[in-house]
Amino acid sequence: MAMQRVAAAAALLACLAMAASPVRGRNITAILDGYKEYKLYNKYLSETKVCDEINSRQSTSMTILVLSNDAMTTLASDAGDSLPAIKNALRLHSVLDYYDRKKVKKYGDESAATLYQATGDAASTTGNVKVVDQEDKNYAFSAATPGARLCTVTKEVETHPFKFAILEVTAPIEFDGLFDTPATSNLTRLLERAGCKVFASLAARTGVLKTYEDAMDKGLTLFAPNDDAFQAKDAPDVKTMSTANLTRLLQYNALPSYNTKTSLKFVKGTLRTMASTKAGKDGVTVVAKGDDVSLDTGKARSRVADTVVDSVPFSLLTLDSLLVPPELYVGAPEAPAPEPSPAETPASQPADAPSVAADHAADHKTKKPSSAIASRPIGALAAAACSVVLASLLL
């Protein structure tokens, strides 16, 4: 009987560990919504959509170095209140490995990669941070550049060993060049360098280029098809197209808000384009499959290829094929709406909607999150299984 009780206890502990295992579903903005001292940091995570970059790495061990409201105010001031510059800094504070006091004391000083390095915006060395073991129980993080300021960890906000941690540091991690951002003043040049000369020429000829430029500092996501896209078999002949239809086509390839390739994977609903009407006409949906993101018109899909510019609130992405309003599409028969599946799920939202990570914050306003990773339905199933296992072993 004693052995049965020991076995039952072991089985129960295993079940509970499985039920509570925080492997998937973490949402950084929803977590930080429970901490008023990080309200400003959380706000910038949503505005820059760095939250989506963090949330998209569910299987990656990460450590988020958060700043108090006062320290975040300092960082914003150092960045000249420039959102693109602040985004660089928030990416640098998102470390692609797990750290806590116990690990640092065991392994000592290390160098770790960050989201800033992973985006390709930094050199291999400047994109890193150093993890430094200090005296007593203290440890700190700093930029990888020589003589960089040490930012001591003042609080381990949440730790989930070897999976996810949120640590508060005393001051922003910065280095010379961190706040440098790409120039976006010459949109025509950006398009031409990206291999989208035809698109740039059409935009200039119709006057839509001016529409794009006026929206760049308010919120614009521009999907630019490469030159080959205009030669595709089913592409409309832009040479014979009326100015009105051509204008509509060009506006259809833009969203009146800031989105990144990563954040597009999270949105829900119909995604409004600059051509969309109040009745909802000329919208698109997003189909995400792994790292691939496509825009679906209902008759064809256009794959989002590369990010040319990501400078909040402006994003320039290239497409492999032309994004065409259904009424202007040539050749292909009407296709049924794609059915979502675990491997391929539609994900889109109104263009002026906030990041999906920020949406979850509303669900946490009535209670403080107790875990860095949201519970999944498997937890309830595992808990039920625990009861069955325990009952059977105690009989």
Side-chain angles (χ1 to χ4, degrees), residues 27-34 42 46 355-367 369:
N27 185 305
I28 185 62
T29 53
I31 299 165
L32 293 181
D33 187 59
N42 205 21
S46 293
S355 169
V356 67
D359 291 342
H360 288 290
D363 298 333
H364 291 71
K365 291 188 182 297
T366 57
K367 61 179 180 179

Side-chain angles (χ1 to χ4, degrees), residues 118-285:
T119 60
D121 293 335
S124 59
T125 53
T126 58
N128 286 343
V129 291
K130 289 182 179 179
V131 189
V132 181
D133 182 11
Q134 297 177 300
E135 294 180 358
D136 299 325
K137 295 182 179 180
N138 294 334
Y139 63 108
F141 291 80
S142 75
T145 52
R149 172 178 59 190
L150 289 179
C151 303
T152 301
V153 175
T154 55
K155 184 192 301 183
E156 293 186 336
V157 182
E158 295 200 14
T159 57
H160 301 267
F162 306 104
K163 295 174 183 176
F164 191 69
I166 300 176
L167 311 176
E168 180 187 311
V169 291
T170 52
I173 300 172
E174 300 176 4
F175 60 86
D176 289 341
L178 174 63
F179 301 129
D180 293 345
T181 56
T184 59
S185 57
N186 194 323
L187 181 54
T188 299
R189 182 176 298 176
L190 291 173
L191 289 169
E192 290 178 346
R193 288 180 176 176
C196 308
K197 292 182 179 181
V198 175
F199 186 79
S201 175
L202 294 173
R205 192 178 84 196
T206 57
V208 177
L209 182 66
K210 183 63 166 57
T211 303
Y212 294 156
E213 291 172 338
D214 290 343
M216 285 173 63
D217 61 350
K218 301 172 185 175
L220 175 69
T221 304
L222 186 57
F223 300 110
N226 59 43
D227 291 344
D228 291 339
F230 290 89
Q231 305 301 320
K233 178 181 178 181
D234 297 327
D237 185 357
V238 294
K239 295 179 182 178
T240 61
M241 190 176 290
S242 68
T243 300
N245 282 343
L246 188 54
T247 297
R248 180 181 168 195
L249 174 71
L250 295 171
Q251 291 177 336
Y252 193 61
N253 280 259
L255 310 177
S257 71
Y258 168 69
N259 294 272
T260 66
K261 183 177 178 181
T262 298
S263 65
L264 285 171
K265 293 189 286 187
F266 290 96
V267 295
K268 298 178 181 179
T270 300
L271 192 60
R272 293 177 55 247
T273 69
M274 292 186 80
S276 293
T277 64
K278 292 182 179 180
K281 188 178 180 180
D282 284 349
V284 295
T285 57

Side-chain angles (χ1 to χ4, degrees), residues 60-105:
T60 303
S61 296
M62 292 193 71
T63 299
I64 310 303
L65 306 176
V66 298
L67 300 167
S68 67
N69 292 330
D70 288 343
M72 189 65 223
T73 299
T74 298
L75 179 114
S77 178
D78 292 345
D81 291 319
S82 163
L83 282 178
I86 292 171
K87 182 166 188 172
N88 286 351
L90 293 178
R91 283 170 163 171
L92 185 69
H93 285 70
S94 303
V95 184
L96 301 179
D97 203 347
Y98 174 83
Y99 290 97
D100 60 14
R101 180 177 291 107
K102 185 176 181 180
K103 179 181 176 181
V104 175
K105 293 301 177 183

